[in-house]
Every structure is written in C-alpha cells, then in structure tokens.
Amino acid sequence: MKGMKDMKEIKENVLKRFGEVFGDTEGAKVYFAPGRVNLIGEHTDYNGGHVFPAALTIGTYGVARKREDRSLRFFSMNFEHLGVIESSLEELVPEKSAGWTNYPKGVMWAFGEKGMRLPLGLDLLLWGNIPNGSGLSSSASVEILTGFVLRDLFGFEVSNQELALIGQFSENRFNGVNCGIMDQFAIAMGKKGHAIFLDTADLTYRYAPMKLEHAKIVIACSNKKRGLGDSKYNERRSECEKALEELQRVISIRTLGDMTEEQFEAHKGAIQSDVRRKRAKHAVYENRRTLRAVEALQNNDISLFGQLMNESHISLRDDYEVTGVELDTLAEEAWKVKGVIGSRMTGAGFGGCTVSIVEEDAIHAFIEKVGSAYQKKIGYAADFYIVEPGEGPMIL
Ligand code: GLA
C-alpha cells in the first residue's frame, strides 16, 4: 500500500515528531517493521502445522536513540493523548496501565531473560499504519521492531529468526497470550513479493513467489475490535492440547500437524468431547489444506488456491468457531462477487480482517458490493486495503 516515496515522507515526519517530543534528533535512527497477513493455515501454528503468511508493506515505524541512563521514554503518534510514558529498565514488569508499552517492554525483558541485558535505556517513538486490533499483527510488528532496534543500538548478535522467537517468548510470558510463532516469524523474515511457507514443527521454511497474474490481495477490515479474543484464543489452544493428549493414547503422534485426514477420521473417537473433536478436526484439515494450497500456487492453479481459502473459512466458522457474524458477512458476501478467487478470515479471528484474492478488474465491484452489504447487515462500515507482500524489518 505504501511505496518507497511514502516511506521517505513518513521517515521525515516521524523524525520531526521525535525532535519535538524528545528535544532534538541528534543520534536518533529510524526503523520499520511490517505487519503480516496470513493467506492460509490458521490456528495451525501452535498445533505443529504449516502456515502461509506474508509480511506487508504497511507496518510500524520507529525512531530510537540510546540514553545515558537506565530510563525508558516511550511515545506513540497513534496515541498522542497519552504523551510521553516514562519507565526504566528496573521496571520491566507487565502492567495493565502501561498499555501499548507492554510490547516493547516485554521484548526488553525477554532480551534480558536470554542473557542480553540492556546496558542503557532509550527513547522510542512509534507510528504505525496497521489498523489496530485488525488481526494484521500490529503487536508482533511492535515486538519485532523493538528487537531489531535493540540489536542495532546495542550490537547484540541475534538473527532475525531469533528475534521472532524472542518476540513470541515476550508475548507468551510477558503479555500472557499463548500465541504460536507465525506472526513474529512472518514479520522478522518477510520478503518482498513472497509469502513464507513455514513448518511450525521445526521452523523449516521456504519463500514462495506470490504470482497472482491479474489478481491482487485485498484486505477487508471488519472494524470489530477483538475484545475478549485473547482469552478465547488461549481457550482454543488448550482445547487442542487436550485433544492431542486424548489422541496420543491411541496413535503415536507428536502434534496434530503430524496427522493425515484419514488418520484423524480413524482415531477421532478417542477425543471425549464433541467440541474438542471439532477443534482438532480443524487443526488437522487446515494443515493439510495449507500443503495443498501451496502446491496449487506452485502449479499456478490460483483457482484451487482460492477454493481452499474458502474451505478454510468454513472450517474456522463451523469447527473452530472463531469467526462471528462480522467476518462471516465479509467472506460470504465476497464469495458471491464474480472475480473473487477466494476469501477467508485471517489471523486469530473474533473480529479483525478477511483476506481475499480478487481479479484486478473486479476489485471495484468487490469493495462496493461487500462494503454495502456489510454496512447494511452490521450497521457500520468495513475498510478495504489492497496490499502487497513486503520486506522484513529494516533501517530507513
Ligand atoms: C494469532 C497468533 C498466531 C496464530 C494466529 C491464528 O495471530 O498470534 O500465532 O495462532 O492467531 O492462526
């Protein structure tokens, strides 16, 4: 969405604001970390399955500067009214009142846990153009940006892949969301024009060019905030873990991602509850769907890829139950539009966005039709963005 020209302009703007907020820009550097969209492979990453996300060209911009003492000063241009939030390296504990600063603080804490203690504090200003709570990973973007800044400012020897693991560790242990590795990995390892085919069982991955011919990736943002999403997310995760334990009594598997559909059908009776059986079914089938989708893309069979995206949504709606009326309306209305190759919810669900692959000459009609049907049924508007797979974190 944002080209290089915009990036240059944004760089100037954030630097200027940094100077206003923190006195001057002497020694300050500007960084960027993307957001991500997941094309297929949803709720598989904590089940040892495959995912297929891409970094985006929208993301988080940060201006950072080392301090001479151990204090921390944060400022977000997205939450101007909060002003400068002060803390220190001695206070790296999660607090509800710390709001968004819990994400950078969590990463600083995680660096320390991994033996990389920060010698000095910093001033950090952020501005992001990922819609908040949209399911495009604004929080993971802030985490990876922070890790990237710390590596650069203090010279820690840590790879991008390790930054992803540190980001996930901070989210799990500092911010209390038991997320998988997908978001942080997609962001830290992003590559322009490509999606990442990642096996979350062992972190082996490969870049797949997103050659969509005459189609584009369109994101529809429901504008429904996630709300109680985090607790529901943790609940889904434990349902899957319980189902795995039950299955392991009858079949030798390490994760749900180890199973084929046939194996699941043969052994699903071992799962003692209907709800857990549905959750596990989604995890198994979605993983297999992801393998087929990536193969379809490789064979230039975009239409099969789209069909598998639609099946993914149905499974997330009926078996995993993480969609809700907003996301269902966006996907189901999209399926009716000619020129829509595939459409599904993306991210954790419970609000957030759908991702659709739409023929270029149908994009206008898509936005028009889905937008008005959504407004009519839900009572407020959705937002639409045409996006492209972008690079991972960088210094600007
Ligand atoms: C969130 C989590 C990811 C992943 C998705 C669902 O984005 O952070 O780890 O589990 O939900 O696929």
Side-chain angles (χ1 to χ4, degrees), residues 112-241:
E113 292 293 300
K114 303 284 172 196
M116 296 178 284
R117 302 220 167 270
L118 303 193
L120 295 167
L122 57 143
D123 294 338
L124 180 67
L125 172 141
L126 298 187
W127 178 74
N129 52 5
I130 305 172
N132 237 329
S134 63
L136 302 178
S137 290
S138 55
S139 54
S141 177
V142 170
E143 287 159 7
I144 297 303
L145 181 104
T146 306
F148 194 80
V149 163
L150 298 181
R151 173 172 84 188
D152 185 55
L153 289 186
F154 300 110
F156 293 122
E157 300 228 347
V158 48
S159 67
N160 277 25
Q161 186 162 324
E162 284 161 339
L163 288 183
L165 289 163
I166 292 172
Q168 183 200 16
F169 180 74
S170 77
E171 180 94 40
N172 293 167
R173 303 280 297 275
F174 197 88
N175 282 304
V177 180
N178 283 328
C179 67
I181 189 61
M182 172 171 73
D183 303 347
Q184 289 82 3
F185 197 96
I187 290 168
M189 305 296 283
K191 183 168 167 177
K192 190 171 191 273
H194 292 74
I196 308 176
F197 180 42
L198 170 69
D199 183 350
T200 64
D202 57 10
L203 298 191
T204 51
Y205 67 97
R206 140 170 103 65
Y207 290 108
M210 282 306 292
K211 290 181 297 182
L212 295 176
E213 313 279 326
H214 302 295
K216 291 226 179 298
I217 305 172
V218 185
I219 285 169
C221 193
S222 69
N223 287 324
K224 179 188 180 211
K225 297 282 180 254
R226 280 244 298 266
L228 289 173
D230 289 350
S231 57
K232 290 272 177 216
Y233 182 92
N234 289 348
E235 181 186 294
R236 291 294 179 280
R237 183 164 182 159
S238 29
E239 286 164 348
C240 286
E241 280 161 2

Side-chain angles (χ1 to χ4, degrees), residues 36 38 41-46 137 179-183 233 347-348:
R36 69 98 188 89
N38 188 23
E42 213 66 83
H43 289 281
T44 50
D45 68 343
Y46 50 85
S137 290
C179 67
I181 189 61
M182 172 171 73
D183 303 347
Y233 182 92

Side-chain angles (χ1 to χ4, degrees), residues 6 14 36 53 72 82 95 101 120 132 140 144 154 174 221 254 265 271 291 308 310 315 322 362 373 376:
D6 298 305
V14 292
R36 69 98 188 89
L72 298 167
L82 298 179
E95 278 162 326
T101 66
L120 295 167
N132 237 329
I144 297 303
F154 300 110
F174 197 88
C221 193
R254 285 163 311 161
E265 294 304 329
I271 304 172
L291 298 174
L308 292 163
N310 298 349
S315 174
V322 292
K376 194 158 159 230

